[in-house]
Amino acid sequence: EDKVVQSPLSLVVHEGDTVTLNCSYEVTNFRSLLWYKQEKKAPTFLFMLTSSGIEKKSGRLSSILDKKELFSILNITATQTGDSAIYLCAVAYGQNFVFGPGTRLSVLP
Amino acid sequence: SQTIHQWPATLVQPVGSPLSLECTVEGTSNPNLYWYRQAAGRGLQLLFYSVGIGQISSEVPQNLSASRPQDRQFILSSKKLLLSDSGFYLCAWSGFYDEQFFGPGTRLTVL
């Protein structure tokens, strides 16, 4: 069964657009939800969310978690071509981690 | 600061050959260690994780195995590779918190 679902799977926008990436999950013993950016090789850490309703922000990126509805969103404002990447959502539960399939974001100049 | 190393960066192996991928972490002690595989265009699949020397948990039954002979060394092995073992293999570590830090990865092609 799919424990972590991301949408959309692929997205093409133009520079300056704002995008919202979605991640929903269904696990027991939830610990945290994490967002990563993967460009060519290793994913790099963006955010870790453990509490509902508290927005995490870093520059043009922000993220929030809803533990009641079991989802998180990642917002990117004023997108740049350097934001083109695969954005991965992961959920830590019990002793396990599970990653979603990722959203492939392409930002065109 | 902590760093994580993986080698080799790329590997081409024939079906039925053995495999050994190595991962080492510097700058931290008693890390949690993880092996992931990423098929083309797909998310990361957790293969093994380890919370200490000699402690290995497997998430997916397969012809791969993992070992942790030292605190900061994690090895992924196979006795006989299958075509389906092709993919991008990532090692990661985590400390007290859940955020994982990934190595540069090994791209394995089985022919």
Side-chain angles (χ1 to χ4, degrees), chain B residues 30-66:
Chain B
N30 197 30
N32 297 321
L33 296 172
Y34 309 85
W35 277 112
Y36 288 91
R37 177 170 59 205
Q38 186 175 34
R42 303 282 296 274
L44 276 65
Q45 179 187 32
L46 180 62
L47 301 175
F48 300 96
Y49 68 91
S50 172
V51 298
I53 295 174
Q55 300 179 62
I56 309 293
S57 295
S58 174
E59 289 298 301
V60 181
Q62 60 222 324
N63 69 321
L64 300 171
S65 62

Side-chain angles (χ1 to χ4, degrees), chain A residues 31-32 34 36 38 41-43 45 48 88 92 95-97 99-101, chain B residues 34 36 38 42-44 46 49 59 88 90 97-100 102-104:
Chain A
R31 292 206 317 269
S32 62
L34 304 101
Y36 290 85
Q38 185 177 25
K41 287 194 173 180
F45 173 76
M48 182 174 76
L88 296 165
Q95 290 275 28
N96 300 313
F97 282 87
F99 277 78
Chain B
Y34 309 85
Y36 288 91
Q38 186 175 34
R42 303 282 296 274
L44 276 65
L46 180 62
Y49 68 91
E59 289 298 301
F88 189 48
L90 287 158
Y97 299 104
D98 285 334
E99 59 245 52
Q100 296 182 10
F102 288 84

Side-chain angles (χ1 to χ4, degrees), chain A residues 2-81:
Chain A
D2 292 325
K3 293 186 172 66
V4 179
V5 177
Q6 290 187 247
S7 64
L9 294 180
S10 180
L11 187 59
V12 181
V13 300
H14 287 91
E15 274 193 315
D17 290 348
T18 293
V19 299
T20 297
L21 309 183
N22 303 288
C23 176
S24 62
Y25 62 92
E26 186 173 342
V27 301
T28 55
N29 299 318
F30 172 90
R31 292 206 317 269
S32 62
L33 186 144
L34 304 101
W35 284 98
Y36 290 85
K37 178 183 182 182
Q38 185 177 25
E39 294 180 81
K40 291 186 178 178
K41 287 194 173 180
T44 53
F45 173 76
L46 295 175
F47 298 111
M48 182 174 76
L49 304 153
T50 56
S51 301
S52 280
I54 299 175
E55 185 183 53
K56 293 272 182 101
K57 196 171 173 64
S58 176
R60 296 176 293 101
L61 277 67
S62 63
S63 184
I64 198 162
L65 173 67
D66 185 328
K67 289 170 72 174
K68 182 179 178 184
E69 299 298 329
L70 308 183
F71 79 91
S72 173
I73 60 172
L74 175 68
N75 280 320
I76 308 175
T77 59
T79 52
Q80 302 171 357
T81 54

